[in-house]
Amino acid sequence: MFGYANPKRYQQLSRIILALALVFAVIFLGEGLYLALIASPPDYQQSETVRIMYIHVPAAWLSMFIYASMAVAALTLIIWKHTLAGFYIRAAAPIGAAFTAICLITGSLWGQPTWGTWWVWDARLTSVLILFFLYLGVMALGNAYDNPDKSQQASAWLVLIGSINLPIIKFSVEWWNTLHQPASLTSLSRMANPGIHPDMLVPLLVMAGGFLCLFVVLAILRLNNEILSRKIHVMRLRTIHG
Amino acid sequence: MTRKQQRIYSIILIVFGIGIATTLSLMAMEENITYFYTPSDIFEDENLPPQDKAFRLGGLVAEGSLSRNGAIITFIVTDNAHQLSVAYEGITPDLFREGQGIIATGNLNPEGVFVADSLLAKHDENYMPPEVAKALEEVHGSDKTAP
């Protein structure tokens, strides 16, 4: 696994993954949007309003998945001092923040016609808002010090400490009475008997796949930028200090 | 122990500590995190806000209980264990109907009727096309959609 720390191997591997992810992102997003917006049926209760789900839910899944991946990278950075992990956190954080913002905004747009309100301070919505602030904090802390390694350590610690929020988000609808409805898919009682019909589940999964591939493309591009950025930084230091 | 081991142990300790701190804080704040009370909560009279403070009541609109009296609608909220009468004056959300989940904000008046200032519809986690819902209704003879 640490063999991929070797920059040359990383470059070769990332090129292949980038190409594949780009192709699949286009396929999944294209097919997913067609299914979501045109081919899938309306909901028995919400009719066409349900189509926001096909953006809102995959964005929510990605926002949590990206944060979890950043937590793994943070562990790798702190325990094994793996610099690439630090770059990954810098690369992934803005993308995660964007997905979280999409989740919050589409959720709000969905809530107004269905629930009758743009926002409530229930456990689910509040904890996702906190996740958004955590992402912003990680981005800010990553630029806080002149020494980039020190900044990276600081934001890695913030990622780790904030990761307690992930189980809170996930279980908020089960532990407390909330306005946001419980899980249709991923709670234990639901896995065998999902509350969502296959005609709607398939577009949802395709969109999630598309979002995931989109994230991989953006993350690799940003990661390459971070590596180059660090190289420039080192070159600058060398010219200054001879 | 090596420095790497030290780092691993310190991470475990810190994450553990934060987990415990968070759990304790959330348990202490339970009352504030709870977004609404159910009719059973009110019946059992535990942890309720004082009489004159507004709170949120959540539950299902009981079948056949909805009636309109001019601008005021009255219905019964149930959690399949206890019931409470609710009176509301205003616009109801799109999803509001009998058998639907709702969250009402307001006060309990001395006669035991909950006077609601605002009404939100709560929808359940079931998603299906209209044909499927209709087929289920025919099979089960009633609306299967209990939130």
Side-chain angles (χ1 to χ4, degrees):
Chain A
M1 177 63 117
F2 292 133
Y4 294 113
N6 179 323
K8 203 151 192 201
R9 268 197 239 163
Y10 163 75
Q11 273 188 349
Q12 290 169 339
L13 188 63
S14 70
R15 236 175 249 159
I16 301 173
I17 296 182
L18 181 61
L20 282 174
L22 192 54
V23 167
F24 280 117
V26 171
I27 295 177
F28 283 150
L29 285 178
E31 172 74 6
L33 282 174
Y34 165 72
L35 287 175
L37 298 177
I38 301 176
S40 66
D43 181 62
Y44 75 103
Q45 258 188 28
Q46 303 174 43
S47 55
E48 306 294 338
T49 318
V50 77
R51 300 193 192 274
I52 305 182
M53 171 183 71
Y54 300 115
I55 306 269
H56 172 79
V57 175
W61 285 347
L62 256 297
S63 73
M64 300 212 288
F65 170 75
I66 294 175
Y67 195 90
S69 71
M70 280 164 56
V72 171
L75 279 175
T76 314
L77 178 64
I78 294 175
I79 300 177
W80 286 282
K81 295 191 175 291
H82 205 318
T83 332
L84 203 60
F87 294 164
Y88 175 77
I89 295 177
R90 281 183 73 89
I95 311 175
F99 277 120
T100 314
I102 291 174
C103 169
L104 288 168
I105 295 174
T106 54
S108 181
L109 292 171
W110 197 6
Q112 175 55 25
T114 51
W115 295 333
T117 180
W118 300 101
W119 183 262
V120 290
W121 291 101
D122 78 352
R124 170 54 68 88
L125 277 70
T126 307
S127 51
V128 174
L129 187 64
I130 291 178
L131 180 68
F132 182 64
F133 290 148
L134 277 172
Y135 272 120
L136 295 183
V138 168
M139 286 160 64
L141 215 47
N143 293 323
Y145 298 96
D146 285 335
N147 180 350
D149 286 321
K150 208 166 162 192
S151 304
Q152 273 322 102
Q153 284 285 318
S155 57
W157 276 107
L158 180 58
V159 172
L160 270 188
I161 293 175
S163 59
I164 191 77
N165 195 25
L166 285 184
I168 294 179
I169 294 177
K170 169 81 195 121
F171 293 111
S172 57
V173 288
E174 288 177 44
W175 290 344
W176 300 293
N177 292 338
T178 59
L179 176 57
H180 193 287
Q181 67 277 13
S184 313
L185 267 184
T186 48
S187 66
L188 283 171
S189 57
R190 277 304 195 175
M191 294 252 205
N193 182 23
I196 177 170
H197 190 266
D199 282 351
M200 302 166 96
L201 180 57
V202 168
L204 187 62
L205 295 178
V206 173
M207 284 298 284
F211 275 29
L212 182 62
C213 292
L214 179 62
F215 163 68
V216 170
V217 168
L218 294 174
I220 292 182
L221 290 175
R222 283 192 53 82
L223 191 50
N224 292 343
N225 279 353
E226 291 297 330
I227 296 174
L228 285 174
S229 181
R230 180 62 72 94
K231 282 190 184 155
I232 295 176
H233 179 85
V234 169
M235 277 163 41
R236 280 210 189 109
L237 287 180
R238 284 215 185 105
T239 45
I240 293 175
H241 296 279
Chain B
M1 59 176 86
T2 68
R3 280 212 213 134
K4 182 170 114 179
Q5 278 180 325
Q6 266 185 340
R7 290 198 293 268
I8 295 179
Y9 286 136
S10 63
I11 288 185
I12 294 179
L13 200 63
I14 292 181
V15 172
F16 214 56
I18 293 183
I20 294 181
T22 314
T23 309
L24 288 174
S25 324
L26 290 177
M27 283 169 60
M29 286 170 50
E30 181 94 35
E31 207 176 292
N32 291 333
I33 300 180
T34 301
Y35 194 67
F36 58 85
Y37 296 102
T38 60
S40 297
D41 290 333
I42 298 190
F43 189 79
E44 279 149 39
D45 209 36
E46 287 178 5
N47 304 323
L48 284 186
Q51 266 285 46
D52 45 351
K53 228 176 167 210
F55 62 96
R56 282 178 287 253
L57 176 71
L60 301 173
V61 178
E63 299 278 356
S65 67
L66 187 58
S67 74
R68 216 167 267 273
N69 189 2
I72 303 178
I73 61 167
T74 54
F75 54 93
I76 293 183
V77 164
T78 172
D79 58 354
N80 293 328
H82 291 100
Q83 296 185 331
L84 204 56
S85 295
V86 178
Y88 173 68
E89 182 174 347
I91 307 173
T92 58
D94 280 351
L95 288 184
F96 181 79
R97 61 199 169 118
E98 285 174 1
Q100 181 70 3
I102 55 104
I103 295 183
T105 310
N107 294 70
L108 206 51
N109 74 4
E111 286 97 46
V113 173
F114 187 85
V115 179
D117 302 316
S118 77
L119 201 58
L120 292 180
K122 185 174 151 71
H123 78 79
D124 62 11
E125 69 275 22
N126 294 310
Y127 299 92
M128 59 184 108
E131 314 87 61
V132 178
K134 208 170 289 178
L136 280 172
E137 211 175 302
E138 282 162 23
V139 168
H140 289 264
S142 65
D143 205 339
K144 189 191 188 252
T145 59

